Amino acid sequence: MEYTRRKFLQTSLGALAGAAAGGLWSVPGWAAGGTKLELTAQESRIDLGRGPAFNAFSFNGQTPGPVIRVREGQELQVILRNRLQRPTTIHWHGQPVPNAMDGVPGVTQAAVPPGGSFTYRFRAHPAGTYFYHSHFGYQLDQGLYGALIVEPARPVGGWDREEVLLLADWVLADGGGMAPVPRRSPMGGMMGGGMMGRGRMGGRGGRGGWSGAPGEPLTEPYYQGYAVNGRLYPHGEPIKVKKGDKVRLRLINASSATTYDLSLAGHRLTVLALDGQDITPKTFDVVRLAMGERVDVEFTADNPGAWLLQAYDTGLGESGLATAVLYQGYEDRPPNRPGFRPGLSLATYWDLAAARPVAHPAGPPQRWYQQVLSGGMHSPYWSINGRMYPDSERLGAAPGEKVRLSYFNRSMIPHPMHLHGHFFRIVNFALPPERWLVKDTAVVEPMRRLDVEFVADNPGLWFHHCHNLYHMEAGMANLVTYAGATPPKET
Ligand SMILES: [Cu+2]
């Protein structure tokens, strides 16, 4: 998805002149004013460019679905039409939408039945990089997701081009992530995990082969490909640059069970934003994205050549996640791979701070919940405080209260914990609270503790869960509740 500064100016001028934005954003169904569109969830033939084509799910016939771009403060209206043979919903990951628009079946709405439709309506706020995805069953691992970009109310320039890169793990078989393919054993959770070690330790495809007893949750599959914007390397669109260009990449990890450590050969990456929220820019060799996280980075095209932006350890070359960055005059050269070697700098939460002071109430929290994350050993189930959704606890909050969650990861793999409807701050005693990172998804590393705090400012019943889809479906979820909030009646 190419998006140049010139195009941006044209669009801004067009909007000033009151012209329809249709066409400029490459969003089918985009109406005048740029706030209304339709997303049809349907079964589609998926061709990632390599490997067999197979049947999985799409929005409007494409996976990822169309990039939705909206201006901060504008109302976004999306009509979801369900042409699947099972229920579905859409969740607006990271956007603090009104509770009824949050898209969690059985919590904020009744799932949209086959043949049915539902209109999502909310004011896009705040600006940043987000995504949307089905929150029903395993549909996230079957192709139902797309990018949601909220442009700042006042345009911020400074980039010659901008690319949205949506990263996804794939099983190349009918049904996608639900296909009857070899899966990691629950013990595999001990070994493989979400980041380093994946692929290499697992062995692709052949080994493992665990399939649960009937009625037990699925464990994660051995993925067969890692796509950037729905294409496997080298079949994707390369990023074409000219010497001197300043390039912004909006990286979105829509994967169900894969964390990426990304590096761009010949360049370093300057991190601009995490989960859509600006940070004080800082430059690294490697940038990590867990499931559900978004990272905005920029680089200056000052090293002409053909280069790969690549994820470590999803496999090298054609088996891994990669996309080419080609300078003018180097379009036909084979791209150089990044050298993953000891001593590279890796962006962690502890190296980064909010770009501007963001008010955070001082003093002790009014509510403080311990959240012990465990499971995966000899069992396909995952839990918080030993309980599995829907039989999990409810974390009560009242409007205006400051709530702290202390995560203790008592397992050997990381869990990217995601809270709906709110941003939280990552507690970091090395920084004053107003500079703590503002995020909606935070990775709790194996056998470690991580604390977050949020202000209860969006009443409702909110899902809180691990964004590894297979952990979520295996119980690792609970609810934040405000007094009086009740789930919708199932139809
Ligand atoms: Cu998890």
Side-chain angles (χ1 to χ4, degrees), residues 440-460:
D440 52 65
T441 307
V443 178
V444 190
E445 299 291 348
M447 303 310 284
R448 297 287 287 275
R449 171 178 172 173
L450 180 90
D451 284 33
V452 302
E453 286 186 353
F454 67 95
V455 175
D457 56 3
N458 194 4

Side-chain angles (χ1 to χ4, degrees), residues 82 86-89 104-106 109-114 118 136 488-491:
N82 185 5
R86 62 219 81 201
T88 192
T89 62
V104 181
Q109 68 172 103
V112 182
F118 186 90
F136 191 90
K489 292 220 162 35
E490 284 293 337
T491 49

Side-chain angles (χ1 to χ4, degrees), residues 382 413-417 466-468 471-472 476:
W382 290 90
I413 71 170
H415 300 288
M417 300 303 295
C466 177
H467 220 280
N468 177 314
H471 296 180
M472 181 187 87
M476 200 170 229

Side-chain angles (χ1 to χ4, degrees), residues 66-390:
V67 176
I68 301 177
R69 280 187 186 265
V70 63
R71 183 78 63 192
E72 185 181 28
Q74 282 189 331
E75 192 190 65
L76 178 63
Q77 191 181 325
V78 178
I79 302 166
L80 166 64
R81 297 195 190 285
N82 185 5
R83 291 214 192 113
L84 301 170
Q85 285 167 10
R86 62 219 81 201
T88 192
T89 62
I90 296 179
H91 169 60
W92 310 93
H93 183 108
Q95 283 275 294
V97 300
N99 196 235
M101 299 290 112
D102 195 49
V104 181
V107 177
T108 68
Q109 68 172 103
V112 182
S117 68
F118 186 90
T119 301
Y120 293 94
R121 226 185 165 108
F122 61 92
R123 195 174 68 90
H125 177 88
T129 303
Y130 302 89
F131 69 119
Y132 59 92
H133 62 81
S134 166
H135 221 296
F136 191 90
Y138 296 98
Q139 291 172 3
L140 176 67
D141 210 9
Q142 301 182 283
L144 287 178
Y145 42 69
L148 169 62
I149 310 300
V150 181
E151 300 281 359
R154 279 192 306 157
V156 180
W159 298 278
D160 298 287
R161 53 199 318 115
E162 177 185 305
E163 307 277 343
V164 176
L165 303 181
L166 190 142
L167 319 178
D169 43 14
W170 273 105
V171 172
L172 311 180
D174 288 350
M178 283 193 79
V181 293
R183 291 179 183 275
R184 292 175 182 274
S185 73
M187 286 298 286
M190 289 282 290
M191 297 175 57
M195 41 181 71
M196 305 301 198
R198 169 166 314 289
R200 266 204 312 201
M201 297 174 85
R204 323 193 78 72
R207 284 185 283 147
W210 189 84
S211 64
E216 285 196 335
L218 287 176
T219 63
E220 60 188 79
Y222 287 98
Y223 289 103
Q224 297 162 340
Y226 301 89
V228 177
N229 292 343
R231 304 294 283 178
L232 302 176
Y233 183 78
H235 302 280
E237 239 349 91
I239 299 168
K240 292 187 176 168
V241 300
K242 295 191 306 294
K243 187 160 193 264
D245 278 354
K246 201 161 228 190
V247 183
R248 181 183 185 120
L249 306 178
R250 294 179 183 265
L251 304 165
I252 302 168
N253 188 356
S255 302
S256 290
T258 307
T259 293
Y260 303 101
D261 287 328
L262 289 166
S263 191
L264 172 57
H267 301 74
R268 305 184 79 207
L269 298 169
T270 300
V271 181
L272 303 175
L274 295 186
D275 293 356
Q277 311 310 302
D278 290 346
I279 59 152
T280 303
K282 206 165 169 183
T283 303
F284 298 90
D285 300 307
V286 182
V287 170
R288 175 171 290 173
L289 277 101
M291 298 127 260
E293 288 189 302
R294 293 87 63 210
V295 181
D296 289 32
V297 298
E298 70 173 21
F299 67 91
T300 303
D302 55 5
N303 190 8
W307 308 101
L308 268 194
L309 173 70
Q310 188 169 22
Y312 178 73
D313 213 29
T314 51
L316 295 174
E318 297 201 0
S319 63
L321 179 126
T323 194
V325 174
L326 305 177
Y327 282 65
Q328 224 166 43
Y330 291 82
E331 290 86 349
D332 301 324
R333 311 282 182 89
N336 292 294
R337 294 170 180 178
F340 288 102
R341 57 181 191 278
L344 293 181
S345 60
L346 169 75
T348 76
Y349 301 157
W350 315 113
D351 302 312
L352 304 170
R356 292 168 293 277
V358 180
H360 189 65
Q366 281 79 42
R367 312 259 184 163
W368 194 332
Y369 296 104
Q370 175 174 296
Q371 300 279 277
V372 177
L373 313 175
S374 60
M377 297 173 72
H378 311 286
S379 152
Y381 291 97
W382 290 90
S383 64
I384 304 176
N385 291 348
R387 295 172 65 177
M388 291 172 292
Y389 188 82

